[in-house]
Amino acid sequence: MLKGKIAIVTGGTRGIGFETVKTFCENGAKVILFGSRKETVDKALNSLKEENIEADGYYPNLNNYEEVERVIHEIKDKYGRIDIVVNNAGISQKGPIEELSAEDFEKIMNLNVNALFNVSKAVTPIMKEQHDGVILNTSSMVSKYGQPSGVGYPTSKFAVNGFTLSLARELAPFNIRVNAVAPGITKTDMVAALPEAMIAPLIKTIPLGRIGEPRDIANAFLFLASDMASYISGVVLSVDGLARS
Ligand code: NAD
């Protein structure tokens, strides 16, 4: 589905991002994953190699625009084009508002929103020149209705949705599509480590009766990145087993 495409996946070293890297590679893309540190990038690339998957990796500071732009240009020079970007790196946060510091709030907005702006801004001129490109963002089911604790995280994901809808309108005339995927609870390392006693009540709240697998989210990204979705832009696709109310 992505034969010959050049794709960047931020937060590609583990969890949803890592599964997306694998899925894109299996579907013929050349993937460049971004992580926060050299060690985690190397670890991810080595574990892909064990499965005979060749990928590339970088670890730019996503909050430093000049650094992001330099790396994006390096990738463009190396591979000739950039077809797909998945802005997936993100952190979450829990706690009542009185216990969250201004720095906590800033930290979450910096990665979940500002980094997405920086990467999207840097690839836009390249995609405009190609008159072709896809920008995908990782939102969350909490972007639909908030959460009872940890106000920064849903705030950042509402912003991801707003960014997606607006940039989709701005870039549509240049044949650049912008979409988001809003995962429900997904079995990444953190969730997989939870005791069964905590998981069982969670599952009861999900109409489709199970927790999402990283591959469920990666498959949604695959579809939206592919030409099968060539007439779809500005959507936030819920992939949450219907657990969104
Ligand atoms: P994860 O913690 O397993 O992976 C996070 C990724 O982000 C890692 O690759 C990490 O290297 C990268 N990252 C973290 N801090 C970074 C930084 N400062 N700079 C650059 N990269 C950084 O998380 P995940 O569960 O796979 O989450 C991926 C995305 O999915 C996030 O945007 C998250 O908000 C979203 N999401 C996850 C779930 C879930 O249940 N797992 C649900 C909804 C949305």
Side-chain angles (χ1 to χ4, degrees):
M1 283 168 78
L2 302 180
K3 197 160 183 275
K5 303 276 188 193
I6 309 297
I8 295 172
V9 179
T10 77
T13 58
R14 56 171 199 257
I16 289 169
F18 185 68
E19 196 66 25
T20 303
V21 171
K22 270 172 49 173
T23 305
F24 280 16
C25 289
E26 287 163 11
N27 280 272
K30 176 77 204 179
V31 183
I32 300 97
L33 64 86
F34 282 7
S36 49
R37 290 180 293 125
K38 181 177 187 322
E39 303 83 76
T40 51
V41 168
D42 287 347
K43 188 172 164 226
L45 293 176
N46 285 333
S47 95
L48 289 168
K49 215 173 253 165
E50 280 165 21
E51 297 184 50
N52 292 319
I53 297 173
E54 271 305 322
D56 200 352
Y58 290 81
Y59 42 97
N61 175 357
L62 299 180
N63 285 127
N64 179 330
Y65 180 72
E66 284 71 33
E67 197 175 322
V68 169
E69 191 182 49
R70 183 180 52 72
V71 168
I72 295 280
H73 281 138
E74 209 175 305
I75 293 166
K76 158 79 165 68
D77 290 345
K78 189 166 170 187
Y79 295 100
R81 51 188 294 117
I82 297 173
D83 298 294
I84 302 156
V85 167
V86 183
N87 286 305
N88 167 75
I91 45 169
S92 68
Q93 207 173 58
K94 286 257 173 348
I97 191 163
E98 312 93 289
E99 287 174 18
L100 292 175
S101 65
E103 289 74 31
D104 291 333
F105 190 78
E106 203 177 319
K107 189 174 169 201
I108 207 155
M109 296 302 279
N110 269 342
L111 184 64
N112 294 9
V113 185
N114 297 358
L116 179 145
F117 170 82
N118 285 341
V119 175
S120 304
K121 178 177 161 67
V123 295
T124 290
I126 295 168
M127 290 182 171
K128 272 188 176 175
E129 202 184 317
Q130 295 168 179
H131 201 73
D132 193 24
V134 181
I135 297 172
L136 300 173
N137 303 318
T138 308
S139 181
S140 164
M141 66 175 181
V142 304
S143 75
K144 310 275 171 173
Y145 55 84
Q147 63 182 16
S149 168
V151 74
Y153 183 65
T155 302
S156 71
K157 295 300 187 180
F158 273 83
V160 169
N161 295 0
F163 181 87
T164 301
L165 266 64
S166 295
L167 196 64
R169 290 193 177 277
E170 182 177 327
L171 298 183
F174 305 94
N175 194 35
I176 301 168
R177 298 186 292 106
V178 187
N179 291 300
V181 172
I185 300 162
T186 307
K187 213 187 270 168
T188 53
D189 294 349
M190 205 174 62
V191 176
L194 292 175
E196 184 56 32
M198 273 183 81
I199 299 276
L202 274 178
I203 292 177
K204 284 213 175 88
T205 67
I206 305 170
L208 277 175
R210 67 173 175 87
I211 283 180
E213 297 290 336
R215 187 55 68 130
D216 292 318
I217 314 305
N219 282 339
F221 279 130
L222 171 63
F223 166 66
L224 289 171
S226 78
D227 291 343
M228 289 180 78
S230 63
Y231 201 48
I232 300 175
S233 195
V235 303
V236 179
L237 179 62
S238 293
V239 183
D240 59 3
L242 202 54
R244 70 186 81 115
S245 58

